[in-house]
Amino acid sequence: MKTLQLKWVLRHGNAQHSFLDFVVSGRSLYGELRRRGDDYVSCLGWLADPQDDHARARLLLERPGDLPSGRVALYICPQCGDLGCGTVSVAVVCDDDGFVWQDFGYESDDGEAFTPLERLGPFRFQAEAYRSAIVTYPKR
């Protein structure tokens, strides 16, 4: 089982944003995306509270995914947060052993294209620890 933590990151670029990064067993997913040349912010921590609440609910499978594929956007456009600009998404699955993030990839909300992200995941999380990380994130 992997561990999940949320940690605040200040992104520098055309627009500065603080957002919550997903850290899986000590490995920053934002850092991994940056190493691959991608520039996104996570779906948590920089949008208004209602959007944050919806993102948390999708990660906990309390709401359907936000993309036509049913997948959940983890990282989104740092300028506007629009899914049409492209996202890093994941299939979130819950089974008897916990939550699983699998099949990471790039997609947008047009439902047209999905490009797998190679050598990332799947990650299995113990259910209660996962819920706790998503719900009780660190304050700024």
Side-chain angles (χ1 to χ4, degrees):
M1 294 268 175
K2 300 286 186 180
T3 60
L4 178 65
Q5 292 178 289
L6 300 178
K7 291 190 177 179
W8 286 104
V9 171
L10 176 62
R11 177 197 168 273
H12 299 281
N14 293 339
Q16 290 189 9
H17 298 290
S18 291
F19 63 91
L20 287 163
D21 184 23
F22 299 101
V23 180
V24 177
S25 295
R27 180 175 158 201
S28 163
L29 292 186
Y30 174 70
E32 176 62 27
L33 294 172
R34 296 287 296 171
R35 280 188 287 286
R36 294 172 185 236
D38 296 323
D39 186 24
Y40 294 97
V41 296
S42 84
C43 61
L44 295 176
W46 74 277
L47 296 171
D49 286 341
Q51 286 98 340
D52 246 25
D53 293 341
H54 294 310
R56 280 183 174 65
R58 286 188 293 272
L59 288 165
L60 294 169
L61 299 176
E62 295 167 354
R63 292 180 68 109
D66 46 350
L67 293 156
S69 63
R71 298 162 56 80
V72 175
L74 287 182
Y75 291 89
I76 55 181
C77 174
Q79 302 299 318
C80 64
D82 189 323
L83 301 179
C85 294
T87 68
V88 172
S89 65
V90 67
V92 179
V93 178
C94 185
D95 61 24
D96 292 339
D97 295 328
F99 286 84
V100 180
W101 286 2
Q102 60 190 23
D103 304 325
F104 285 79
Y106 302 104
E107 67 183 302
S108 65
D109 67 351
D110 62 10
E112 293 295 316
F114 172 79
T115 305
L117 255 165
E118 301 297 326
R119 298 181 311 280
L120 190 62
F123 302 129
R124 179 175 291 281
F125 306 104
Q126 190 276 334
E128 285 309 310
Y130 176 83
R131 280 189 190 94
S132 179
I134 298 297
V135 173
T136 59
Y137 58 94
K139 302 297 179 197
R140 290 182 217 227

